[in-house]
Amino acid sequence: MADLGRLRERVLDLEHERSRWRRLRLSRELLQPRIDRDRALLAERERAYAAEQAHVDRLHGIGVARLRAMLDGTLDERRVEELAQAQEAAARVEEIQARLATLALEADRLDGDIALLGDPETAYQEALSDLVLASRARGHLGGRSTRGTAEEVVDPEEVLGWAERRQRQISQRAEVDVVLPVARQLVAELERVHRRIPVVAAGIEASVSMADPHGGLYWFDGLRAVRRQVAAADEVVGHLRDELAASDLPEVAVPDLADFPAGDGRFFDPLSAEDLTARVDEAVAWAADRLAAAQALVEELVDLRTRLVDA
């Protein structure tokens, strides 16, 4: 029977190793944008240096620029000035090259450290699974695992509870990473609805006040287009609910989009359109409420992911 004490120590060692691996990966990810920016800056400074050096070459070679400078007596002065500008440009190139070399050394060091650690994530989860199985077996047999002295007795139920909590947290973090993008997509869809409805409402109000049937019909079509946007958002809601149902995440409130204020199908008469105006006002309030609910859902998922950051 596997010793629970040794298994738990193995898990804790791997947890420390995994934390270091994650910190190294984060440092490497944060370093790459700096390298990319400096590479782009280097290309820009090399182009500037090439342009300055071309000016120097024209004044030293045979050509129109040198001839004009000789005729107006400014050749030596122009040579000194252009050479100084070229040297300054070269110094800027060397500065960014030195910085890139330092960043490259740091990137190589991080890559080497990450490679030496291998895949501690997989090793950690395998060790955690072994600890769970051993704890269940020990508890089933009614045994207790000891390490050395009686003061170091390991309670299988306590170890099992701790290990299973860790497994659940790891699973939940992976599930949040799946669900969160869908929730953010829902917010984006509802933001489009929220931006569009007030435009339609203003158009309908203007058409009604001007007794303009053509403008009223135009905005009535605009309201139909909004309903199509709501239908697209409702598809995202369905996807989100499916993902949540398949997960082990705590229950969260998903906004219901099925009750979007609908038209009654009657012909739009701008002379008696108070009911339509009222429905549009209701739709404005509806969109603001559902957008706020979707944003709250995203915040709740982000908060949950923050609590699971070490999982």
Side-chain angles (χ1 to χ4, degrees):
M1 183 68 65
D3 186 281
L4 295 188
R6 286 198 299 270
L7 284 174
R8 186 168 63 174
E9 285 183 356
R10 169 66 173 160
V11 169
L12 292 174
D13 288 343
L14 284 170
E15 189 169 275
H16 174 73
E17 194 171 286
R18 185 184 68 151
S19 296
R20 180 168 178 263
W21 176 71
R22 285 183 171 184
R23 289 195 298 271
L24 289 171
R25 288 187 62 190
L26 178 60
S27 297
R28 184 63 178 86
E29 289 169 5
L30 294 174
L31 183 64
Q32 190 58 46
R34 295 171 58 193
I35 293 174
D36 294 340
R37 285 194 299 269
D38 278 357
R39 283 174 176 168
L41 183 57
L42 176 61
E44 181 182 329
R45 291 187 177 183
E46 285 176 339
R47 287 193 295 269
Y49 168 68
E52 295 295 346
Q53 187 60 45
H55 294 159
V56 173
D57 294 342
R58 280 196 292 270
L59 290 175
H60 282 80
I62 299 175
V64 176
R66 185 173 188 275
L67 179 60
R68 287 178 178 173
M70 290 177 61
L71 291 175
D72 61 19
T74 62
L75 179 60
D76 291 339
E77 180 183 348
R78 291 277 305 281
R79 279 177 173 173
V80 171
E81 179 182 348
E82 295 292 352
L83 183 59
Q85 291 177 354
Q87 289 172 340
E88 183 180 351
R92 288 198 294 269
V93 170
E94 291 174 358
E95 174 193 358
I96 199 67
Q97 285 175 334
R99 195 162 72 199
L100 265 174
T102 301
L103 292 175
L105 287 174
E106 178 65 11
D108 288 343
R109 183 188 69 79
L110 290 170
D111 288 340
D113 290 344
I114 291 169
L116 284 175
L117 287 173
D119 183 12
E121 183 69 46
T122 299
Y124 173 76
Q125 294 194 33
E126 288 175 351
L128 194 59
S129 179
D130 291 342
L131 180 58
V132 168
L133 293 174
S135 300
R136 286 175 177 167
R138 182 73 67 178
H140 178 70
L141 294 175
R144 297 170 70 81
S145 175
T146 61
R147 293 184 296 111
T149 66
E151 288 76 18
E152 294 176 316
V153 172
V154 178
D155 184 349
E157 291 184 3
E158 179 185 344
V159 173
L160 178 61
W162 175 83
E164 287 184 333
R165 281 195 302 273
R166 294 298 293 162
Q167 284 188 320
R168 186 164 56 253
Q169 290 168 349
I170 291 169
S171 174
Q172 285 182 336
R173 173 171 172 150
E175 289 168 346
V176 170
D177 288 339
V178 171
V179 171
L180 188 54
V182 184
R184 285 177 169 149
Q185 182 186 356
L186 176 60
V187 169
E189 294 287 350
L190 289 175
E191 282 176 341
R192 282 192 280 272
V193 173
H194 186 253
R195 287 194 300 267
R196 184 60 183 165
I197 289 179
V199 176
V200 174
I204 289 176
E205 183 179 355
S207 299
V208 169
S209 64
M210 296 175 62
D212 178 8
H214 299 292
L217 287 171
Y218 170 79
W219 289 111
F220 191 51
D221 287 340
L223 192 58
R224 291 195 186 98
V226 170
R227 292 193 185 97
R228 287 194 291 271
Q229 290 180 328
V230 173
D234 201 31
E235 289 184 7
V236 180
V237 167
H239 182 196
L240 181 58
R241 285 180 173 148
D242 289 342
E243 293 291 353
L244 287 169
S247 75
D248 191 32
L249 295 176
E251 186 175 348
V252 292
V254 179
D256 183 9
L257 307 187
D259 58 347
F260 179 71
D264 57 11
R266 291 181 297 175
F267 181 74
F268 173 58
D269 179 2
L271 297 177
S272 57
E274 293 83 359
D275 59 335
L276 177 60
T277 305
R279 288 200 305 275
V280 171
D281 290 341
E282 184 183 353
V284 172
W286 179 94
D289 177 76
R290 298 308 185 274
L291 176 58
Q295 291 170 335
L297 171 60
V298 168
E299 290 176 5
E300 187 174 355
L301 290 171
V302 169
D303 182 63
L304 176 58
R305 192 179 190 282
T306 300
R307 296 199 302 271
L308 297 170
V309 68
D310 292 328

